Amino acid sequence: MANTLTAAVLADVHGNYLALKACLSYAKKRGVKHYLFLGDYITDHAFPQRVMEQLYEMEREYDCRFIRGNREEYMIDYRGNGGRQPDGAVWGEGSAQGALLHCYENLTPKDIDWFEKMPIYDEWRPEGAPPVSLCHGSPQRVRGAMRGEPDFFKELPQLGPDLLLKGHNHKHFCLAYQGKRVVCAGSVGNPIARRARLGKPEATELAKSAQMLFLRLEKGCWALEYVKVPYNWQGAIENLEISGLSRRAPVWAAMLRYNVLTGCDPFMVVPSRAAELYHEASGITALWHQVPEPYWRQAAEEFGVPMFR
């Protein structure tokens, strides 16, 4: 592989520095010199500063491209508003925003300055190989899911390169349309196979592993290799307690542990159910961050997400 043009593609680390470390180590052992990072490096898991240290080191030592994700934009916007949300509210302790607050407090001005310099769309044009488009959500929107969006097929013909690499969806998939390919690189830190279901959780094939993608040039075309990488998942779970996240964002930390152990995604269904429970009890229609903590815990229990003790 060392003599074949190869790039490692990594997306959606979400603060899981142990998963990132394992993926980078695996790629380096395979002799990879080119790295394409597709955003959402921080928030959620503990110790975001350790993710930043690895990214800065990679930028110094390898050929890297970095794309901004929606989580980086959260930090940029929050700082830009003077440590407040657009409505003037501040991030507070609790399951809805405690993990965001923890991340923000553990980043430096240098980190957020770096995020601001990142594009939301870029093109990698290695010599002697077809060009590749890079984005987090979609070429125009960091939170664009693309898969299933009405404007998805309208965006593709506008791209120069025939291959678009993206993140945001946290799962591997490949779509094709009129000679264009869209490939999601999965997630380094929070890979998912399906939404969480009510009741007792079941582990998927993505439990306790990180996820990445390799691009390899073969006969003038890009070949894809989807990879699952073992990592110190026990340490990632322990860090949720050591860092204080399990106290600052109790249900969110519990959902992170659930995701690590099962490969399932509780991050939409549990908060949405918490809002439903609150509405049923109070008649109030609330956003996630407005839902009182007991309803978060009740929703987590319904989905079989155990709390930290």
Side-chain angles (χ1 to χ4, degrees):
M1 177 174 291
N3 296 323
T4 302
L5 180 58
T6 304
V9 188
L10 303 99
D12 294 276
V13 179
H14 284 275
N16 192 338
Y17 76 90
L18 291 169
L20 176 61
K21 180 180 179 180
C23 287
L24 293 177
S25 177
Y26 180 70
K28 291 174 185 178
K29 287 178 181 177
R30 292 180 57 163
V32 177
K33 305 298 182 183
H34 308 280
Y35 293 82
L36 310 176
F37 294 91
L38 303 183
D40 276 11
Y41 312 105
I42 42 84
T43 74
D44 292 335
H45 279 275
F47 304 120
Q49 63 272 34
R50 298 180 187 177
V51 169
M52 301 306 301
E53 291 168 2
Q54 293 183 71
L55 296 180
Y56 290 140
E57 180 180 353
M58 292 299 296
E59 185 181 42
R60 289 192 299 268
E61 298 183 2
Y62 293 90
D63 174 34
C64 298
R65 299 288 189 280
F66 294 94
I67 296 295
R68 187 196 314 159
N70 55 287
R71 298 308 182 104
E72 288 74 58
E73 291 210 337
Y74 292 170
M75 301 294 122
I76 293 168
D77 293 344
Y78 198 70
R79 183 179 73 168
N81 287 320
R84 293 182 179 273
Q85 300 178 82
D87 63 0
V90 298
W91 286 335
E93 304 286 340
S95 294
Q97 298 173 324
L100 290 172
L101 179 61
H102 172 84
C103 180
Y104 185 74
E105 291 176 346
N106 282 278
L107 294 176
T108 68
K110 171 189 174 183
D111 299 330
I112 301 178
D113 289 345
W114 194 49
F115 297 154
E116 286 186 320
K117 295 175 183 177
M118 293 179 183
I120 66 169
Y121 173 82
D122 199 2
E123 294 180 1
W124 183 49
R125 294 180 172 271
E127 185 177 354
V132 180
S133 295
L134 310 173
C135 69
H136 179 68
S138 74
Q140 290 80 27
R141 301 174 302 282
V142 290
R143 298 194 69 180
M146 291 194 77
R147 188 178 184 180
E149 287 191 345
D151 293 335
F152 166 64
F153 293 110
K154 294 180 182 178
E155 295 181 5
L156 278 183
Q158 300 173 16
L159 301 179
D162 292 334
L163 176 61
L164 171 66
L165 302 178
K166 73 182 299 291
H168 194 54
N169 297 80
H170 289 232
K171 59 178 67 176
H172 287 150
F173 66 77
C174 181
L175 302 175
Y177 178 71
Q178 294 187 353
K180 304 285 187 178
R181 279 193 298 171
V182 177
V183 177
C184 184
S187 172
V188 172
N190 290 341
I192 62 173
R194 63 169 182 255
R195 297 289 188 199
R197 301 169 180 175
L198 288 169
K200 186 177 180 180
E202 297 179 3
T204 75
E205 71 277 7
L206 293 182
K208 304 175 183 177
S209 64
Q211 195 178 42
M212 63 185 300
L213 172 71
F214 287 99
L215 281 186
R216 186 171 60 255
L217 190 64
E218 295 183 354
K219 297 180 180 180
C221 297
W222 290 114
L224 308 176
E225 180 185 354
Y226 300 106
V227 178
K228 291 189 297 182
V229 181
Y231 78 101
N232 179 13
W233 58 268
Q234 299 97 326
I237 291 175
E238 290 171 1
N239 285 337
L240 296 172
E241 292 190 274
I242 294 170
S243 66
L245 263 176
S246 60
R247 297 186 301 276
R248 303 188 73 180
V251 176
W252 203 267
M255 290 194 294
L256 288 166
R257 177 173 61 181
Y258 177 102
N259 171 255
V260 168
L261 293 174
T262 69
C264 295
D265 172 20
F267 300 107
M268 290 294 293
V269 292
V270 170
S272 295
R273 179 57 180 156
E276 288 178 359
L277 291 167
Y278 182 46
H279 178 74
E280 292 170 4
S282 67
I284 299 173
T285 300
L287 300 175
W288 291 358
H289 70 275
Q290 299 168 326
V291 175
E293 195 70 22
Y295 298 98
W296 282 80
R297 292 176 179 267
Q298 183 179 345
E301 182 179 355
E302 290 185 6
F303 280 90
V305 178
M307 302 297 296
F308 283 90
R309 295 183 178 180

